[in-house]
């Protein structure tokens, strides 16, 4: 999770984004009116995660007017234009109810996040393969969990941020938050123990263990959440 300070003018955005990439990107040049993936990755700090790069770009351009934003986007090279069209994030308010929380898509929300610290807020867990069995780790032990509602809406969204990645806590004030939809298992119910599917007498491949994991997870109740990548202070 990282705070973004959006560009306020076209000139500032182009100067920062058209930066020539890193020294080993021999075919990128600064101030050539072309923004490449190498240049965007240098600014965003994301070198292989194209979806997160595009989310960064969309949020970094959010304070520009539509004309200035379109002018910046026109400078993207062909490859980056394709990535932008594929991964362009949606605003929560623009989505239909049945689209909200669609897995793997990017979404931007503006509202006031409320940190949920009670261990009883979510009984969810993540199943992690360990050898020939699985370890169940409570969600609240691994993530900071928030609730946020789009301004002017009562629709509540669950957001989460990995504690291992940052100790930063979102302030309880108006923010614009961007992330990618993921899911966790929110109840285990009365199903058989996880280890029952794995026979200790038969060597199990990692692929087999993973397939058992996916089958067991598919039987559980799941909850979609927005994994937080970036935020902007309003």
């Amino acid at each position: 999770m990282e705070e973004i300070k959006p560009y306020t003018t076209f000139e500032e955005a182009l100067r920062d984004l058209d930066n020539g990439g890193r020294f080993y990107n021999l075919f990128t040049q600064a101030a050539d009116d072309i923004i490449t993936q190498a240049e965007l990755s240098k600014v965003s700090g994301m070198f292989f995660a194209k979806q997160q790069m595009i989310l960064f770009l969309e949020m970094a351009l959010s304070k520009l007017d539509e004309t200035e934003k379109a002018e910046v986007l026109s400078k993207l090279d062909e490859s980056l234009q394709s990535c932008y069209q594929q991964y362009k994030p949606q605003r929560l308010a623009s989505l239909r109810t049945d689209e909200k929380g669609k897995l793997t898509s990017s979404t931007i929300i503006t509202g006031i996040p409320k940190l949920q610290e009670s261990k009883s807020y979510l009984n969810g867990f993540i199943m992690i393969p360990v050898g020939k069995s699985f370890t169940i780790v409570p969600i609240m032990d691994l993530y900071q969990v928030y609730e946020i509602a789009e301004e002017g809406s009562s629709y509540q969204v669950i957001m989460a941020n990995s504690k291992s990645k940052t100790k930063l806590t979102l302030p309880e004030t108006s923010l614009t938050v961007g992330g990618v939809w993921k899911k966790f298992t929110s109840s285990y119910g009365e199903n058989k123990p996880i280890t029952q599917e794995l026979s200790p007498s038969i060597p199990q491949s990692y692929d087999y263990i993973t397939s058992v994991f996916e089958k067991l997870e598919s039987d559980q109740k799941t909850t979609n959440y927005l994994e937080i990548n970036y935020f902007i202070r309003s």
Side-chain angles (χ1 to χ4, degrees):
M1 181 171 64
E2 179 183 344
E3 182 175 2
I4 292 177
K5 295 185 178 179
Y7 304 118
T8 56
T9 66
F10 165 76
E11 292 76 17
E12 179 190 11
L14 190 61
R15 182 172 61 249
D16 198 34
L17 294 168
D18 187 7
N19 56 58
R22 294 178 179 266
F23 69 91
Y24 47 78
N25 298 118
L26 302 179
F27 301 104
T28 58
Q29 297 180 9
D32 63 353
D33 278 346
I34 299 174
I35 301 170
T36 66
Q37 183 176 320
E39 291 172 315
L40 180 55
S41 69
K42 180 180 177 181
V43 178
S44 66
M46 296 288 179
F47 302 104
F48 303 106
K50 295 179 181 179
Q51 185 172 16
Q52 281 78 6
M53 269 193 272
I54 298 303
L55 179 60
F56 172 91
L57 178 64
E58 186 75 3
M59 295 182 70
L61 300 179
S62 62
K63 298 297 184 183
L64 301 183
D65 63 36
E66 289 303 314
T67 301
E68 289 181 318
K69 179 181 175 182
E71 196 169 352
V72 173
L73 294 177
S74 73
K75 306 296 183 183
L76 305 183
D77 70 7
E78 186 175 345
S79 174
L80 205 49
Q81 287 279 3
S82 177
C83 286
Y84 182 79
Q85 294 304 319
Q86 181 178 358
Y87 295 116
K88 180 182 177 181
Q90 299 293 315
R91 290 277 179 172
L92 185 69
S94 70
L95 301 179
R96 302 191 310 270
T97 302
D98 60 350
E99 291 178 322
K100 293 173 181 176
K102 183 178 179 181
L103 290 177
T104 75
S105 63
S106 302
T107 297
I108 297 172
I109 302 172
T110 298
I112 300 176
K114 297 185 183 299
L115 180 64
Q116 307 298 317
E117 298 184 274
S118 170
K119 293 287 185 178
S120 62
Y121 174 74
L122 283 177
N123 294 320
F125 61 87
I126 293 176
M127 296 188 291
I128 302 175
V130 178
K132 294 182 179 180
S133 62
F134 294 90
T135 296
I136 299 176
V137 182
I139 290 294
M140 298 297 283
D141 287 353
L142 296 179
Y143 291 89
Q144 294 173 336
V145 178
Y146 300 84
E147 273 191 357
I148 188 170
E150 186 84 53
E151 291 179 347
S153 168
S154 60
Y155 181 80
Q156 293 286 335
V157 171
I158 296 176
M159 304 191 305
N161 179 62
S162 172
K163 292 180 180 178
S164 66
K165 293 181 180 179
T166 179
K167 297 186 181 299
L168 180 65
T169 301
L170 292 176
E172 195 169 314
T173 186
S174 182
L175 301 175
T176 298
V177 181
V180 177
W181 289 101
K182 297 190 176 180
K183 69 177 180 179
F184 57 76
T185 304
S186 53
S187 67
Y188 188 58
E190 300 298 326
N191 294 316
K192 56 190 173 184
I194 294 173
T195 54
Q196 187 169 330
E197 292 283 348
L198 301 169
S199 172
S201 62
I202 303 175
Q204 308 289 357
S205 69
Y206 180 79
D207 287 342
Y208 175 75
I209 293 174
T210 302
S211 71
V212 173
F213 166 72
E214 291 174 346
K215 176 181 180 298
L216 288 166
E217 187 181 51
S218 69
D219 292 337
Q220 314 307 315
K221 178 183 176 183
T222 59
T223 298
N224 291 2
Y225 69 95
L226 195 70
E227 184 174 77
I228 306 167
N229 294 116
Y230 304 106
F231 70 94
I232 298 169
R233 296 176 191 269
S234 298

